[in-house]
Each structure stands twice: as structure tokens, then as C-alpha cells.
Amino acid sequence: MKRKTSSNSPTDELGGIKDSPFLVSGCLLGIGCRYDGGTCPSSGLIRFASSASLIPICPEQLGGLSTPRPSATITGGDGDDVLSGCARVVNQEGKDVTDAYKRGAEESLRLARLTGARIALLRERSPSCGLSTPYCEGKSGIGRGVTAALLHSSGIKVFGILPEDDFPSPDLFELIKGRGWDQSN
Ligand code: SF4
């Protein structure tokens, strides 16, 4: 006889998400993929990396952009609007880099699909990775970056990470406790 399981546990609600690997913004792991060639490491995330299954990504590099590269902003909306064709990404030199940003988002999603990743830990504020980036013309002055928007709309659970913040946040802790992360970390 099948045992009845509680529908209220986090695992049930998230449909097995707790077992998935994580997509992670490479710059948060200390990889120098930022637009200026720099990095923005999260020490807590780096500790987590030693025992977790992580897939580092840099959507801007995956989209074919070089490092270093001019910084860019989303004009005419946010990442969701870029994906629907209503907004563009323009770099500091005035060059339209929309296609590269969209390609990077699609390649990131491809990696998520290939690896079974259903959680993404992305650098907050980036026009690519940010869950709420100010580098856009979103309705409230902030909006999702292009990759964050595509992953979110594709059913990937996205968490915005700032290197200066404590890692993990309480909601993220619920997903990673016992998976290479305990209260003692
Ligand atoms: S925030 Fe995302 S796109 Fe920007 S450098 Fe980091 S990984 Fe690359």
C-alpha cells in the first residue's frame, strides 16, 4: 500500500527541488567573469561549494561577450520585456547587445535542463543575473535581469545573492540544510 505523504512538507511543495544541483553565478564563486574582469565572491557560498553540486555559469560570457567588456543596461523595460522583444540591452558604448544577453540566458537554461538544476543562486543587481536589478527601466525602477527572467519563467527557483549578505538567507537555508550545509557552517 502506498504511504500517504504530507502535502505540506517543503520537498512536496517544491516537487523534489531539494535534490537538484544548483546553477550559480560564477562571479559569486570568485571567478573573474565580471564586466571589468573582477569578481564578487560570497564567502558563505564558496564554503557551500565544497560539498554541494554546483554548476557555475556566466550568462554574459555564455552569450559570447568578452571579458572585460563594457557594462550594459536594459532600456525600455526589464529582462522580461527583453525576452518578449519589447526592450533592448545597450552597453556603455551605445552598442545593442540584446542578442548576446538573450543567448546567454538561453544557454544558461540549456545547462539547467542538461544537469537537472532547478535552483539558481544568482548575483543580485546584474542586468543578466539580478532577480531585482536597478540597471533597467522596470516599472518600479527595478526588474529581473534577462537570465533571471528566463530561468524564473521556466520554473527554476531563483535566489538573488549579494556577496556582502549572510549566506544562506532563511528561505534558502530551508532548501540546503542537510545538503552540505548545517547550522554549524
Ligand atoms: S553577475 Fe552573472 S553575468 Fe554578471 S559576471 Fe556574474 S555571472 Fe556573469
Side-chain angles (χ1 to χ4, degrees):
M1 183 195 297
K2 266 191 180 168
R3 185 186 302 182
K4 191 165 186 259
T5 54
S6 162
S7 61
N8 293 326
S9 77
T11 305
D12 290 342
E13 287 171 6
L14 294 168
I17 198 171
K18 291 184 89 172
D19 298 325
S20 90
F22 303 81
L23 286 189
V24 181
S25 295
C27 55
L28 290 171
L29 295 173
I31 297 167
C33 53
R34 270 179 50 136
Y35 73 93
D36 58 359
T39 181
C40 44
S42 159
S43 55
L45 182 54
I46 288 171
R47 284 199 302 279
F48 181 56
S50 64
S51 55
S53 177
L54 305 185
I55 297 102
I57 57 167
C58 176
E60 292 174 18
Q61 290 184 337
L62 286 169
L65 296 173
S66 60
T67 303
R69 55 189 171 275
S71 62
T73 59
I74 301 170
T75 63
D78 60 13
D80 289 293
D81 298 313
V82 171
L83 295 172
S84 64
C86 302
R88 312 294 295 169
V89 187
V90 179
N91 73 15
Q92 246 181 348
E93 296 172 347
K95 184 179 175 193
D96 189 319
V97 287
T98 306
D99 288 347
Y101 272 65
K102 288 170 76 172
R103 195 179 313 124
E106 287 157 7
E107 297 291 57
S108 299
L109 179 59
R110 183 197 307 275
L111 282 168
R113 297 286 190 242
L114 278 170
T115 59
R118 297 186 54 205
I119 305 171
L121 310 177
L122 301 185
R123 168 64 157 102
E124 192 53 288
R125 295 184 184 158
S126 152
S128 295
C129 291
L131 201 52
S132 51
T133 178
Y135 301 106
C136 72
E137 293 171 354
K139 292 183 188 72
S140 60
I142 58 169
R144 277 191 278 269
V146 181
T147 294
L150 183 62
L151 295 179
H152 173 80
S153 67
S154 303
I156 310 288
K157 178 85 173 160
V158 180
F159 290 87
I161 308 285
L162 279 171
E164 61 269 31
D165 286 351
D166 288 340
F167 179 92
S169 58
D171 53 346
L172 181 54
F173 175 74
E174 282 305 309
L175 282 176
I176 68 174
K177 65 184 176 185
R179 296 183 57 191
W181 191 276
D182 296 306
Q183 292 279 17
S184 55
N185 281 66

